[in-house]
Amino acid sequence: MTSLLSWQGLRDLKLSALDDAADGWAEVSHHAGAAAERVDAEMAGGLAKTQESESAKAAVRRLNRLSRNYHYMHAECGLIRSSVTGLATELASPQRRLKEALGDAAALSYSVGADGSIGYPAGGRNELTGEAIPGGSAAGDNGLLTPGNNGMFPPDGKGRYLPGSGFGTVGLVNPNPHHAKAQDIADRIAHALREAQEIDERYRAALSRLKAGPGLTVDTRTWTDAAADAAAVRSAAAEYLRDGIPSGASPADRKAWWDGLTEERREEYLAVYPDVIGNLDGIPAVVRDEANRENLRLLIGKLSGLDGDDARTKLDALKGIEERLQEGSVPPMYLLGIGDEGNGRAIVSYGNPDTAANVSAYVPGLGTKLDGEFVDSTMKRAQDTALGANEADPHSSTASIVWLGYDAPQLTATDLAANADVMFMDDARAGAPAYNGFMAGIAATHEGADPHVTAIGHSYGSLTVGLAAQEKGGIPGADDIVLVGSPGTGARTADDLNVGRHHVFVGAADHDLVTRLPNHEESAGLGAGAAGGGSAGLALGLGMGGPVGGFVGGAAGAAAGGIAGYMAQDGQTDPGQGWFGTDPANRRFGATRFLVDDGPTVVRGGFEAHSRYFTPTKDQMSADNIARIVAGRPDEISLEPPR
């Protein structure tokens, strides 16, 4: 279907009426949003915290359903408001140009036909006959290469030129001096109308989607439709809104851009582009949180309509994050980033980083992705750090962030120890500038004095943090760096990390094999030993127990041979060198090593020693030391001699 908008309709269109309609939809959206917040905070949240009976739980479920309805109304009415505002805003330009053209026609006493053609009077004299050159009409260029508008028709038998024949490529130039002026006006009218019709059709298609199904149930299918609705409005408003977002600017410039917007324009961006605003470094934390909570529901709707293990894994994680947000937490949660690209994205802060005196940003490592373990375990590490820092300094506020803003290698610690040569720096190199961009955003949006900032890297995440610290200028705002369970940072010494060696702190459990990851020469010995041992074990096992015996013998032989090869090579290489440069726990690196529990051996606990650093119930000493550093009290940590 194409727009039926005529030039008369464009001329008479009252854009103020569209603005009034947009304001009405905005008011409805505001009321729905406020009602949702009240239900969440004052009703459902309070009831859940104070009552545990079955009737109370049932009431909470009904209140949560009411909250979902309000959130949906808030989102959809916001999209309608933005669509109507965008329509009015974009139509203003072609309407202005149309009225200017009509004004020029009136000033010259030209007539305007129903089809937008311009009639002009006789003018000038025919040089051959001396007769007055008759008037005529000029049709505007409608963008189509047809004889009616490209000037290729010569004059008819009476010396009159057909509409649009003023500047022909084959025909003669119309000698009437009015013709060129009339043609210009007709072309301007046609161009303005053509642009307005395109705008009208674009927004008509978007608005036609914005309608709710029957009933009051807001479920995942409803949010799937809402995600498609948002995409349709984004497509319609691409020029109106998206082109104004300073995506390539610095976080400080983005902050200035956001501060300079009117409240109405901010609301439009939040309604139409929650995914962009919520993940834009330099936007204030409370705004990012609002946008990402909206985007979270849209992502849940989007992934609910997809098949496959990856979509289901991310969907379960998103639902888990939504549940945590609804339940509330101490400190309160702020959702600073969310997305389904790659292995998934999530940035969660416990405490407001724009107002806290202490801010830490922890980068997780090996095997981390947007899944149930991230929600249940990785996020809990950040929360434990916030609680520990508040306990270390009750008079100072802390925001503790977990930053999953990159794709970590999808290997387990077991995979890493068995096959270290598959580990490269590509993911960390990609993550380092993204992490620095986020940290620059934290620095730009902080409301108070210069906060105490700690960058934390665990496992492969310590390599990401290390590479970020080695970029020009280092990690923006960072005062201290904490590395735990680190296979290396790519740096030769702590001085390379741009905060001073006395501000680099390392935790490395002796039973954490990732911190003892072999260097390249040792890895070669491990591989050769594993191959030789596996071959010998396979032959022996086949001879004694058939295929099953061969499998068992091969596995056991590979393990024994690998360890023997590693030990043999380790005795001939520099013990201070790991896979990714100098071992951060080694004395040559020059960092401050703090005391941690060594954890269970590999025989007793597998690779558990690699994942205990942040958890008070498993390693109180390490968790306390990290919390004290984050709280700005490094003089109170317990130390351990470097390797």
Side-chain angles (χ1 to χ4, degrees), residues 135-371:
S137 64
D141 181 2
N142 62 10
L144 301 176
L145 203 62
T146 58
N149 67 6
N150 65 5
M152 295 187 68
F153 278 166
D156 65 9
K158 297 182 179 180
R160 292 176 301 197
Y161 288 77
L162 294 176
S165 63
F167 299 95
T169 57
V170 176
L172 300 174
V173 174
N174 192 316
N176 189 320
H178 293 288
H179 176 81
K181 297 177 183 179
Q183 186 65 57
D184 174 67
I185 294 172
D187 287 343
R188 287 157 57 196
I189 290 174
H191 181 267
L193 181 59
R194 189 165 62 247
E195 181 182 353
Q197 289 173 337
E198 184 277 326
I199 294 168
D200 183 53
E201 173 58 23
R202 180 156 36 93
Y203 280 98
R204 183 206 63 78
L207 284 165
S208 68
R209 289 194 54 89
L210 301 178
K211 53 186 178 182
L216 297 175
T217 300
V218 175
D219 53 19
T220 54
R221 287 185 301 174
T222 308
W223 283 110
T224 300
D225 290 339
D229 294 344
V233 175
R234 280 196 295 271
S235 177
E239 296 180 7
Y240 164 58
L241 286 177
R242 180 60 185 262
D243 291 350
I245 300 175
S247 300
S250 69
D253 288 341
R254 293 171 185 164
K255 172 65 164 51
W257 167 76
W258 183 260
D259 289 344
L261 295 177
T262 64
E263 189 61 33
E264 291 76 13
R265 184 55 60 90
R266 291 178 185 174
E267 290 173 358
E268 289 180 64
Y269 276 115
L270 288 171
V272 180
Y273 288 106
D275 55 330
V276 177
I277 300 301
N279 292 285
L280 197 63
D281 298 325
I283 301 300
V286 292
V287 178
R288 292 182 70 161
D289 178 65
E290 179 183 353
N292 284 316
R293 289 179 188 237
E294 195 73 46
N295 190 37
L296 177 65
R297 300 180 186 96
L298 296 176
L299 284 173
I300 289 174
K302 171 187 173 182
L303 294 178
S304 295
L306 301 178
D307 295 323
D309 293 340
D310 180 65
R312 283 190 290 270
T313 297
K314 292 173 181 174
L315 178 60
D316 290 343
L318 294 174
K319 289 181 177 179
I321 292 174
E322 184 180 42
E323 290 176 4
R324 300 296 191 280
L325 290 169
Q326 290 177 343
E327 292 168 356
S329 65
V330 178
M333 282 177 61
Y334 290 81
L335 190 57
L336 304 182
I338 199 72
D340 63 344
E341 60 267 35
N343 295 322
R345 302 286 187 266
I347 307 172
V348 179
S349 179
Y350 289 90
N352 186 344
D354 288 349
T355 59
N358 305 303
V359 180
S360 68
Y362 143 56
V363 182
L366 287 173
T368 308
K369 61 181 179 180
L370 189 59
D371 59 5

Side-chain angles (χ1 to χ4, degrees), residues 481-486 489 494 497 503-509 515 583-586 589-596 613 629 637-638 640 643:
I481 292 176
V482 175
L483 310 168
V484 288
S486 176
T489 64
L497 302 186
H503 291 275
V504 179
F505 302 88
V506 176
T515 70
D583 173 12
N586 189 274
F589 192 71
T592 300
R593 187 182 182 190
F594 57 84
L595 187 63
V596 303
Y613 296 100
I629 296 168
I637 65 175
S638 302
E640 184 172 5
R643 290 172 178 166

Side-chain angles (χ1 to χ4, degrees), residues 437-480:
F438 173 77
M439 298 299 278
I442 294 296
T445 58
H446 200 274
E447 298 174 6
D450 186 30
H452 173 251
V453 176
T454 306
I456 304 175
H458 173 234
S459 185
Y460 187 86
S462 68
L463 175 62
T464 304
V465 168
L467 294 179
Q470 292 172 76
E471 290 195 340
K472 185 178 180 180
I475 298 171
D479 298 291
D480 296 308

Side-chain angles (χ1 to χ4, degrees), residues 1-65:
M1 180 178 178
T2 58
S3 172
L4 300 178
L5 184 65
S6 64
W7 71 261
Q8 296 92 335
L10 177 61
R11 177 197 61 192
D12 299 335
L13 182 63
K14 296 185 182 302
L15 298 182
S16 60
L18 290 176
D19 291 332
D20 291 342
D23 291 342
W25 285 107
E27 187 174 354
V28 176
S29 181
H30 291 161
H31 284 311
E37 291 180 5
R38 184 177 180 186
V39 171
D40 291 340
E42 300 179 18
M43 302 171 69
L47 193 60
K49 292 177 181 177
T50 59
Q51 304 293 326
E52 297 183 357
S53 66
E54 290 302 318
S55 59
K57 293 178 181 178
V60 169
R61 287 194 294 270
R62 293 181 67 86
L63 287 171
N64 286 337
R65 175 183 175 185

Side-chain angles (χ1 to χ4, degrees), residues 383-400:
Q383 184 179 20
D384 284 338
T385 297
L387 294 172
N390 289 331
E391 183 177 340
D393 186 356
H395 304 293
S396 184
S397 58
T398 295
S400 175

Side-chain angles (χ1 to χ4, degrees), residues 546-611:
V548 175
F551 175 79
V552 174
I563 293 173
Y566 168 71
M567 296 299 291
Q569 192 67 43
D570 185 43
Q572 303 176 40
T573 56
D574 186 350
Q577 292 301 305
W579 186 259
F580 294 122
T582 307
D583 173 12
N586 189 274
R587 68 179 70 254
R588 295 183 185 177
F589 192 71
T592 300
R593 187 182 182 190
F594 57 84
L595 187 63
V596 303
D597 187 278
D598 287 334
T601 63
V602 176
V603 175
R604 288 194 302 113
F607 287 85
E608 183 184 341
H610 184 61
S611 60

